[in-house]
Amino acid sequence: MNTYVKHLPADERRAVTVEAVVELAGSQNPSEITTAAIAKHMNLTQGALFRHFPTKDAIWQAVMEWVAERLLARIDCAAQGIESPLAAMQAIFMSHVEFVAEHPGVPRMMFGELQRAEQTAPKRIVQTLIQRYGERLHRLIQEGKACGELSAALDTEAAATLFIGTIQGLVMQSLLAGNVERIRHDAPRVFAIYQRGIRSAQ
Amino acid sequence: MNTYVKHLPADERRAVTVEAVVELAGSQNPSEITTAAIAKHMNLTQGALFRHFPTKDAIWQAVMEWVAERLLARIDCAAQGIESPLAAMQAIFMSHVEFVAEHPGVPRMMFGELQRAEQTAPKRIVQTLIQRYGERLHRLIQEGKACGELSAALDTEAAATLFIGTIQGLVMQSLLAGNVERIRHDAPRVFAIYQRGIRSAQ
DNA sequence: GATAAGATAGTAATCGATTACTATCTTTTT
DNA sequence: AAAAAGATAGTAATCGATTACTATCTTATC
């Protein structure tokens, strides 16, 4: 149990705020998360939030930076030391799914940011994140083709698109079922089909 | 050019409202569509909307009914008369993608509805739609296995999940690129990988 | 068939509620 | 005692919804 303290240093308070938003997004529509709800969830008054963030958008920016940093670190860690490109892709997939299962609000926040018409700072962060994610996938797929694990005729871009879309599909199913745990259960089964679609014929 | 008329019968006005919402959702975040924006887009005052719909949620309900009706009709039509289950799945995929390309706001509205925490009427409609969609996919996949087109070892549920997720992934890519046309271009390439993942080895 | 009467559809103004954000005062920490 | 962090109590803007009133269309009556 975390001992409850009222006064926190600014950087810690910002960190707690980000965690509060990520948690809230797991159980409610990200676009409906108000500053009052954030404050309430972390036992703070609404006005106090603006001691640490100039605007609400700055809160979202911090949240998306947190997501980008954690997610990329996690998939890099998962792929580290794995020789086989296909096995590395599987490790990335599973670690990504694990991340999503731990923080089910994350993909919903990301999708919500991408929907925004204006080009905001948090939206740009999400775009950069997915771009970097895509670069890693591209590299692995190329390596997989080179070493013969993946079909030489494979469409690299389409394979990367399908990789990310597969996770998005899992999220959608969990929203439908209202059950986050389902993601962990479905992920290996869905990835098996994806893998069959990209690897070279034996 | 449609001749502009001020007074419309109630049912026509409701139909025009639904079309206005679908159009607006194609270019802006569905959750940020206000009743004022809807009215403005159809050259009407905001208050007049409530002569035809009791609440804003009733508008969303009508929109989602429109979507469910059109989408199911379109995929049923696409699959009609096709003997091969795999070819029928491809036809459904492509007609669904074509529908999305024509109405890019549709999948975003659907995803947005699913995100809502409360069990609203429009949310239920989306859930029913995807359930019926899933039933059709299940049937086709079973038939495909029976006739030997699809791998006998295929996980039916996972294949259905991946089918819908694949389209969701295409939508996400188009949001990233800010380019709807991209969906038409990517769809056949992505489906090719999916198909390779589910069909029986030659 | 003209016209009165009612029904239907739309306007403009406004309401209460909610939102992000701010100014001022108080408490805690160092 | 100074500075940082939080509480309290606001503000202005926006949203969905309602209201009183007007315009138009439909129908029944003579």
Side-chain angles (χ1 to χ4, degrees), chain A residues 9-20:
Chain A
D11 53 346
E12 284 184 33
R13 182 56 80 196
R14 279 193 293 270
V16 170
T17 306
V18 168
E19 284 169 27

Side-chain angles (χ1 to χ4, degrees), chain B residues 52-119:
Chain B
H52 305 288
F53 297 94
T55 63
K56 190 190 182 186
D57 230 49
I59 298 179
W60 277 115
Q61 185 176 338
V63 171
M64 297 325 295
E65 277 167 0
W66 182 93
V67 168
E69 200 175 307
R70 297 278 193 119
L71 181 55
L72 283 180
R74 178 106 49 129
I75 66 169
D76 282 341
C77 175
Q80 207 172 29
I82 299 183
E83 288 295 320
S84 151
L86 186 56
M89 287 176 73
Q90 180 160 16
I92 288 176
F93 189 89
M94 293 310 166
S95 70
H96 188 157
V97 163
E98 183 58 32
F99 185 76
V100 164
E102 285 171 22
H103 312 289
V106 165
R108 294 158 61 183
M109 290 188 296
M110 286 176 53
F111 199 76
E113 286 298 327
L114 288 180
Q115 297 232 31
R116 288 163 72 160
E118 340 86 79
Q119 189 71 3

